[in-house]
Amino acid sequence: MWIIISHNMADALDQIFSALADPTRRQILVMLLEDDMAVTDVAEPFEISLAAVSKHLGILASAKLIQQERRGRVKWCKLDPQAMHIAWTWMQGLGQFEHIDLDGLEAFLEETLKKD
Amino acid sequence: MWIIISHNMADALDQIFSALADPTRRQILVMLLEDDMAVTDVAEPFEISLAAVSKHLGILASAKLIQQERRGRVKWCKLDPQAMHIAWTWMQGLGQFEHIDLDGLEAFLEETLKKD
DNA sequence: TTAATCGTCAACCAGATGGTTGAATATTCT
DNA sequence: AGAATATTCAACCATCTGGTTGACGATTAA
């Protein structure tokens, strides 16, 4: 299986990876793994403003990592696995992983944790 | 089933995903899939300056997506699959694309992170 | 109708990012 | 030694990013 990297594909990867590069946005995705949520509820655990969270959600939506649907005055957010799958597949092509390399993960973690 | 995301893990993901967010850097990674390369050779197909490419390589190296080794006046760059694997595993947890033993991963991570 | 809630918009700000150029540092070749 | 090659450094610049605040439109509740 190989990946044709079109212009559009590159654009999509730009958006997906830069969306994933922010820890707040990653945390939002993890929260949405549990359940669909309204914007206000997504914002609740964060210390930043609602407007900032709304922007984060907009970025996630335009990267197609989430879908948003307005019902009444509430805008529901849910995960959309498609975009993540695209990036994941691209990475798989580069890493040629097949299984989870726990030894590598352990080595990484030990290396990183030493620095505390 | 849950994944404990340590402080350092989040930092690592920040670096990895923002490194991957740039199309030049992604293209460099694809080039290195073929073969290890010197900085000048990496820079050759790009229209930007050598210094700019050197910076990109520095970013990839500090995200641990590549390793750099100086031999004489030449600095060789090669892929380092470890970091990509970390991000890939994180994404897999979110996308649930294929079967993966998250319980085992969780146990492993909790065990490792206890050492803090 | 009036008041409260949900979310976005617009303007603004500080800091990060990706690029440039020219000088500097090693290292290797002649 | 002197010249060429490989790479980085430093200063600078324009643009992007993530945050703020206050005002605003839309929807629901009293």
Side-chain angles (χ1 to χ4, degrees):
Chain A
M1 161 165 66
W2 190 232
I3 315 168
I4 305 205
I5 302 191
S6 70
H7 195 299
N8 291 325
M9 172 79 163
D11 284 356
L13 291 174
D14 282 1
Q15 289 194 79
I16 295 167
F17 284 127
S18 35
L20 293 176
D22 184 275
T24 300
R25 289 193 290 264
R26 285 197 308 274
Q27 191 178 331
I28 290 173
L29 293 175
V30 171
M31 289 162 56
L32 291 176
L33 197 53
E34 290 277 325
D35 223 337
D36 300 354
M37 297 178 83
V39 174
T40 307
D41 295 330
V42 170
E44 198 268 330
F46 297 100
E47 286 179 350
I48 60 179
S49 69
L50 178 63
V53 171
S54 175
K55 275 193 200 174
H56 281 305
L57 289 167
I59 289 167
L60 288 170
S62 85
K64 300 192 182 170
L65 285 160
I66 67 170
Q67 284 177 11
Q68 292 184 294
E69 182 194 354
R70 176 150 228 142
R71 279 204 294 276
R73 65 181 164 182
V74 173
K75 196 168 196 177
W76 293 94
C77 308
K78 69 171 184 184
L79 281 183
D80 180 354
Q82 232 178 5
M84 186 105 64
H85 195 265
I86 291 179
W88 182 78
T89 304
W90 182 88
M91 290 177 79
Q92 195 169 35
L94 251 96
Q96 297 164 322
F97 320 126
E98 279 165 22
H99 60 287
I100 295 203
D101 173 13
L102 279 182
D103 290 341
L105 186 55
E106 175 178 28
F108 165 80
L109 286 170
E110 280 177 0
E111 179 67 21
T112 326
L113 294 173
K114 250 188 293 184
K115 291 170 188 155
D116 264 356
Chain B
M1 113 179 104
W2 193 235
I3 300 181
I4 312 279
I5 299 185
S6 76
H7 186 291
N8 289 319
M9 175 79 160
D11 284 354
L13 291 173
D14 282 0
Q15 286 193 248
I16 295 167
F17 285 127
S18 34
L20 292 175
D22 183 274
T24 301
R25 288 193 291 262
R26 286 199 306 276
Q27 192 178 330
I28 289 173
L29 292 176
V30 171
M31 289 163 56
L32 291 177
L33 197 52
E34 289 277 324
D35 223 337
D36 300 354
M37 297 178 82
V39 174
T40 307
D41 296 330
V42 170
E44 198 270 330
F46 297 101
E47 286 179 351
I48 61 180
S49 69
L50 179 62
V53 172
S54 175
K55 276 193 200 174
H56 280 306
L57 289 168
I59 290 167
L60 289 170
S62 85
K64 301 193 182 173
L65 286 160
I66 66 169
Q67 285 176 12
Q68 291 184 295
E69 183 194 353
R70 179 148 226 145
R71 278 205 294 276
R73 64 183 165 181
V74 174
K75 198 167 193 176
W76 292 94
C77 309
K78 68 172 185 184
L79 281 183
D80 180 354
Q82 202 174 242
M84 185 106 61
H85 206 158
I86 300 281
W88 183 78
T89 302
W90 181 88
M91 290 176 80
Q92 195 168 35
L94 251 96
Q96 298 168 317
F97 308 127
E98 279 172 23
H99 177 266
I100 176 178
D101 182 14
L102 277 180
D103 290 334
L105 183 58
E106 177 187 5
F108 167 78
L109 285 171
E110 280 178 348
E111 181 64 23
T112 316
L113 296 173
K114 250 187 288 183
K115 294 170 190 160
D116 264 355

